[in-house]
Amino acid sequence: MKIAIIGGGPGGLYLAALLKQLSPGHELTVWERNAPDDTFGFGVVFSDETLGGIENADTEFAGTMARRFARWTDIDIHYRGEQHTIGGQGFAAMGRKDLLHLLQERCRDLGVRLLFRTIAPDLEELRATHDLVVAADGVNSLTRAAHAEVFRPSLDRRSNKYMWLGTDRVFEAFQFFIKQTPWGTMQVHGYPYSDQGSTFIVEMHEDVWHAAGFDATADAQLPPGASDEQAVARLRELFAEELDGHKLQANNSKWLSFTTVRNERWHDGNLVLLGDAAHTAHFSIGSGTKLAMEDALALAACLHEHDGLEAALDAYETERRQVVESTQRAAQASLEWFENIGMYAHQDPTQFCFNLLTRSRRITYANLRTRDPEFADRVDAAFANSQGLENVAPAMFQPFRIGALELKNRVIVSPMDMYSAVDGVPGDFHLVHLGSKAMGGAGLVMTEMVCVSAEGRITPGCGGLWTDEQRDAWARIVEFVHAQSSARIGLQLGHSGRKGSTCLMWEGMDDPLPEGGNWPLIAPSPVPYGPDAATPREITRAEMDQVIADFVAAARRGAQAEFDLLELHCAHGYLLSSFLSPLSNQRTDEFGGELANRLRFPLEVFDAVRAAWPAERPMLVRISATDWLPDGNTEHDAVEIARAFIAHGADAIDVSSGQVSKEEKPAFGRSYQTPFADRIRHEVATATGTAVIAVGAIASYDDVNSILLAGRADLCALGRTHLYDPHWTLHAAAEQEYRGAAAQWPLPYQAGRRKPPTARTDAVRPRLELLRPESQDAYKTQHLRWRPTHEHAAA
């Protein structure tokens, strides 16, 4: 093949080298507009996984790289004047200029044509004269811009400002310096890359950047390659303590705002994007160089494995997209954490360190326990101490109090609609469903959304509390839970609003019922939930009063049924939620418009229910923290919504998201809604003593422990996990070897409280080593510091 590569960065060069090795007959040309010695930035970090791929693909080059690496396993976090060290992580870094020189040399040895200080020919000319054109021209890719209608890029410019710098101080490990200044929190990401220097990235929120006066040079027109020397001089003074007498070095260093690049397509005909041209991920979880070189490996392999170009490029994009999107989800969580780092300035140092390390949700409590057990022990002890508890136990098995109600542990069975009631009456199915979850060990079991009227149902199979018969049926379930378990049981009350009168889930989710079996819908505005949904009628003041009366009557019946707590459903696009969202509430009276008006009716309902509900029993509110659509509610609105309900007496906020519109575009991922709970907890709830519940794609006990230990929520609600395993909480206790009051097995079940052996765990293995090594993987488990010797310098 005749292949043109636009961009002589690590991704483009590595691709050229790999392709030439796979087929020496390839004719490869790399165009790079800069000189071979021009490079911006300082060091490049690699993961063990990426290094393993490089070694498998090119042993010779991997060996050359390895001789240049700085290696270490520790992370040092400097916070409130203390240094906290966590080991066992595993890093390798080298100078970016060294990496480029090695790649250039490898390409020349293999016969790749390298053209520096040369702008690539016209793109269409290249496409016409080459079998393949690879655009590896970086985050500001001109190639991508020229074909934006095909690649359909989205560029998400973030709110933090950062500057890429270096220092001749050779750090011994990865460094996080968290600096409190008169203007706000600033942070440094630092790591060694050789025996002579370290990368030193300064980052801060845009508000802090403005307050500190760094915007003074924002409009300055600097020549290409020049640094913002005024800002660099200021940073040199600000971080004099961290530099410890060493130099702060600039290299095309100026203030930047990170942009997350995504493209709907990565290739078109014989043109393909690679590296930052295709995607970016925030530097706080790794380097763009790492991703670009992984792209290169995958693209070279796919071109070699497939006969046709289109098939090869399809395979490349399919293979890499899922990896990149997973990385971008983790990077998004990480960058948002650093954007909001000021929220955590009050945290205990140990909790802060754990919070920082687990920010991307890729590293969890279990990971850290494997890597550094001593640090994990400190985290457990600090959490117990912060809760005023004497016994150290897994966080999920520490007790918690909502108002006057004490829960034995912090696991909640989330409300899940079962669509199995008859005329609103729960039956034996509900008894077994909720009873089994209570016997399964959860601290709190929640009902499905129990509807306050027949017209307030989602489907004909929804449970209700508008009759005494329904009350008595629920009372039977509550009595069973109280008699057969130590769990508490909560009632969720709601009204379907514009999402009502639909088929059972398995007959067509959200599909309107046929004529004759349906009922009229009410909503704040005559706006349907989706294109195929029925249009609701705008609710009148008189109907609002009737809805309030229905909620009050249902709450009183719930109290008579002896439910332990009540949750008001103000999420997921149902009636009260639809008042809160500007997407569904387009009223022009006192119940629409600004958020304070949109809150008016939900707060009226809350106040009336709170007055009817026994004062000694807690009352919760579930909200949608974002609508996942432009012009809808955001996490900032969620903070104000939570603040309003807390001011009216809510004992806890249950933080979900979305389901307000069929057009929503959620950013699904592991515990993807937890950041919303985190924000509400730190901005509003902690100061008022209000509990916060995290929910959404929390699937493992490791997730639960990590969320709680980091201070992102007080309790965790899990739904589908409990459908898969009704005894999930008890099994989690067995897996963690916990025994105690927080996870008591029912007496008839106690013989099964140990995990059964499997075919591969029956045998006890003999010792087959005469001398036992100090560690099976010393690199991973020791506190390895980068302390270069003369041998390193010579290499």
Side-chain angles (χ1 to χ4, degrees):
M1 294 179 70
K2 186 177 182 183
I3 302 171
I5 300 176
I6 305 171
L13 292 172
Y14 188 49
L15 174 65
L18 292 177
L19 287 171
K20 199 67 172 174
Q21 288 178 81
L22 287 170
S23 180
H26 286 321
E27 183 182 334
L28 287 139
T29 305
V30 179
W31 281 269
E32 171 53 52
R33 63 190 304 163
N34 294 308
D37 287 334
D38 288 348
T39 183
F40 307 119
F42 293 86
V44 180
V45 181
F46 293 96
S47 67
D48 289 345
E49 183 180 52
T50 302
L51 293 178
I54 292 172
E55 184 172 5
N56 290 334
D58 189 339
T59 304
E60 181 179 338
F61 179 67
T64 305
M65 286 180 66
R67 289 191 289 274
R68 304 292 185 98
F69 279 143
R71 288 187 178 274
W72 69 96
T73 64
D74 281 357
I75 295 175
D76 296 337
I77 301 174
H78 304 262
Y79 175 70
R80 292 189 183 176
E82 301 176 4
Q83 176 179 310
H84 301 263
T85 297
I86 301 92
Q89 308 303 312
F91 296 97
M94 65 186 303
R96 181 176 172 84
K97 186 173 288 189
D98 287 342
L99 176 62
L100 283 172
H101 286 169
L102 292 178
L103 286 166
Q104 291 165 11
E105 183 179 342
R106 184 66 171 146
C107 284
R108 290 192 187 97
D109 289 346
L110 292 167
V112 176
R113 184 178 177 222
L114 302 179
L115 300 177
F116 292 99
R117 300 187 181 88
T118 306
I119 295 175
D122 176 75
L123 183 60
E124 295 311 312
E125 177 187 339
L126 286 177
R127 297 185 73 176
T129 57
H130 290 74
D131 299 305
L132 176 65
V133 179
V134 180
D137 49 347
V139 64
N140 298 313
S141 171
L142 296 177
T143 310
R144 183 188 66 226
H147 288 265
E149 76 285 353
V150 174
F151 298 123
R152 295 188 292 278
S154 67
L155 308 178
D156 180 15
R157 179 187 175 278
R158 304 305 302 182
S159 59
N160 268 16
K161 292 288 189 178
Y162 71 97
M163 185 180 290
W164 209 286
L165 298 155
T167 175
D168 61 352
R169 180 181 179 185
V170 180
F171 295 130
E172 294 186 355
F174 207 109
Q175 306 292 314
F176 286 108
F177 295 102
I178 313 301
K179 193 174 189 71
Q180 300 302 329
T181 74
W183 310 283
T185 304
M186 301 179 186
Q187 62 266 13
V188 170
H189 311 245
Y191 57 87
Y193 61 81
S194 73
D195 62 323
Q196 297 182 5
S198 302
T199 294
F200 196 94
I201 306 169
V202 180
E203 185 184 21
M204 65 194 74
H205 194 277
E206 195 167 26
D207 293 343
V208 177
W209 180 79
H210 280 295
F214 284 115
D215 55 354
T217 55
D219 297 326
Q221 298 298 315
L222 300 173
S227 298
D228 185 345
E229 296 296 348
Q230 182 176 329
V232 173
R234 180 92 183 281
L235 292 171
R236 195 174 286 122
E237 295 175 2
L238 272 173
F239 291 98
E241 181 181 351
E242 290 75 15
L243 292 166
D244 193 27
H246 291 79
K247 298 175 183 176
L248 185 64
Q249 301 162 331
N251 178 8
N252 192 33
S253 302
K254 55 196 71 168
W255 290 113
L256 301 170
S257 298
F258 188 83
T259 299
T260 299
V261 175
R262 299 178 178 89
N263 285 276
E264 291 187 24
R265 291 190 61 186
W266 291 3
H267 73 280
D268 175 49
N270 67 341
L271 175 63
V272 63
L273 303 179
L274 183 142
D276 284 355
H279 49 72
T280 59
H282 193 252
F283 54 81
S284 60
I285 70 156
S287 68
T289 299
K290 164 191 173 299
L291 283 175
M293 292 180 72
E294 290 174 351
D295 279 359
L297 192 155
L299 179 55
C302 290
L303 288 168
H304 186 67
E305 291 167 353
H306 295 269
D307 292 334
L309 180 63
E310 184 65 24
L313 297 183
D314 282 343
Y316 157 70
E317 182 168 343
T318 299
E319 178 182 321
R320 283 298 293 163
R321 182 176 287 279
Q322 56 186 343
V323 175
V324 167
E325 288 180 351
S326 173
T327 301
Q328 287 186 318
R329 285 193 295 270
Q332 188 76 9
S334 181
L335 74 84
E336 289 178 1
W337 193 91
F338 280 110
E339 286 174 346
N340 298 309
I341 194 171
M343 289 197 311
Y344 310 115
H346 68 280
Q347 282 192 317
D348 164 83
T350 301
Q351 186 177 57
F352 178 88
C353 292
F354 180 83
N355 194 358
L356 187 155
L357 292 169
T358 59
R359 66 194 181 278
S360 73
R361 303 193 286 276
R362 279 194 165 181
I363 295 177
T364 63
Y365 171 77
N367 300 145
L368 288 172
R369 175 155 288 286
T370 299
R371 299 174 187 196
D372 192 333
E374 292 180 1
F375 175 69
D377 288 342
R378 293 202 303 273
V379 171
D380 285 338
F383 183 77
N385 183 64
S386 71
Q387 305 296 307
L389 302 168
E390 295 182 2
N391 296 326
V392 176
M396 64 186 290
F397 294 118
Q398 295 287 18
F400 190 77
R401 187 179 293 274
I402 304 178
L405 180 69
E406 179 156 326
L407 304 178
K408 63 180 179 181
N409 62 47
R410 299 181 184 227
V411 178
I412 299 174
V413 176
S414 195
M416 293 175 283
D417 292 320
M418 293 289 106
Y419 309 111
S420 298
V422 178
D423 295 327
V425 179
D428 289 346
F429 173 87
H430 294 83
L431 176 67
V432 175
H433 166 60
L434 296 171
S436 65
K437 309 304 181 293
M439 293 175 66
L444 174 64
V445 177
M446 292 297 301
T447 68
E448 61 196 77
M449 184 178 89
V450 176
C451 304
V452 298
S453 65
E455 298 77 19
R457 292 174 296 167
I458 308 166
T459 76
C462 289
L465 257 179
W466 65 87
T467 71
D468 291 347
E469 180 187 6
Q470 295 162 352
R471 176 201 63 197
D472 295 343
W474 285 114
R476 172 177 171 241
I477 295 169
V478 173
E479 182 180 6
F480 178 90
V481 169
H482 288 161
Q484 299 298 328
S485 78
S486 52
R488 303 301 183 192
I489 182 167
L491 167 67
Q492 187 188 68
L493 282 184
H495 187 295
S496 61
R498 66 178 184 159
K499 294 178 73 175
S501 192
T502 62
C503 297
L504 300 180
M505 180 178 65
W506 45 87
E507 294 176 353
M509 189 169 179
D510 296 326
D511 291 349
L513 287 169
E515 289 292 333
N518 60 345
W519 55 86
L521 305 179
I522 54 173
S525 302
V527 180
Y529 171 60
D532 299 323
T535 300
R537 186 180 72 256
E538 181 171 296
I539 189 172
T540 65
R541 177 69 252 192
E543 289 170 322
M544 289 185 203
D545 292 339
Q546 182 58 54
V547 167
I548 292 174
D550 291 340
F551 268 98
V552 167
R556 287 177 176 150
R557 288 191 176 96
Q560 292 163 6
E562 298 296 334
F563 280 103
D564 296 302
L565 61 75
L566 185 150
E567 179 174 87
L568 188 65
H569 202 340
C570 296
H572 298 171
Y574 299 120
L575 181 62
L576 301 184
S577 168
S578 62
F579 265 90
L580 295 172
S581 173
L583 299 175
S584 48
N585 184 348
Q586 299 175 8
R587 299 174 75 99
T588 57
D589 60 6
E590 69 270 30
F591 296 101
E594 62 183 21
L595 180 58
N597 286 348
R598 303 199 306 273
L599 271 161
R600 194 182 304 276
F601 180 61
L603 288 174
E604 283 186 15
V605 175
F606 179 92
D607 290 343
V609 172
R610 178 67 272 186
W613 184 248
E616 70 278 7
R617 299 188 211 176
M619 184 167 165
L620 290 56
V621 178
R622 172 169 274 201
I623 65 171
S624 284
T626 178
D627 291 342
W628 297 114
L629 278 172
D631 302 320
N633 281 333
T634 68
E635 66 270 26
H636 303 291
D637 298 304
V639 168
E640 299 310 314
I641 291 169
R643 194 189 309 277
F645 280 113
I646 291 170
H648 281 248
D651 295 292
I653 304 294
D654 186 358
V655 187
S656 188
S657 75
Q659 302 181 51
V660 171
S661 169
K662 272 285 193 181
E663 309 302 318
E664 69 176 5
K665 296 181 179 179
F668 289 119
R670 184 178 190 175
S671 54
Y672 71 107
Q673 294 176 158
T674 299
F676 305 130
D678 188 16
R679 177 181 289 274
I680 288 170
R681 186 174 188 270
H682 284 91
E683 290 198 19
V684 187
T686 300
T688 59
T690 307
V692 170
I693 302 167
V695 64
I698 301 171
S700 70
Y701 63 79
D702 191 23
D703 289 341
V704 174
N705 286 329
S706 299
I707 290 166
L708 298 173
L709 290 168
R712 297 178 184 125
D714 299 293
L715 303 117
C716 290
L718 298 86
R720 292 177 177 87
T721 305
H722 284 104
L723 296 181
Y724 179 78
D725 180 2
H727 292 82
W728 180 83
T729 306
L730 293 180
H731 292 159
E735 292 276 359
Q736 297 173 84
E737 299 182 348
Y738 169 80
R739 290 191 180 185
Q744 291 180 328
W745 285 72
L747 291 175
Y749 287 3
Q750 289 205 356
R753 66 187 177 188
R754 288 185 298 178
K755 184 179 180 181
T758 65
R760 294 188 177 275
T761 59
D762 288 340
V764 179
R765 311 310 304 176
R767 175 171 177 167
L768 299 174
E769 296 169 324
L770 178 61
L771 297 175
R772 194 187 306 275
E774 290 184 10
S775 170
Q776 294 295 326
D777 190 351
Y779 171 61
K780 285 283 189 180
T781 57
Q782 290 180 352
H783 283 282
L784 178 65
R785 314 284 289 182
W786 173 240
R787 290 168 179 156
T789 62
H790 293 299
E791 287 76 12
H792 287 114

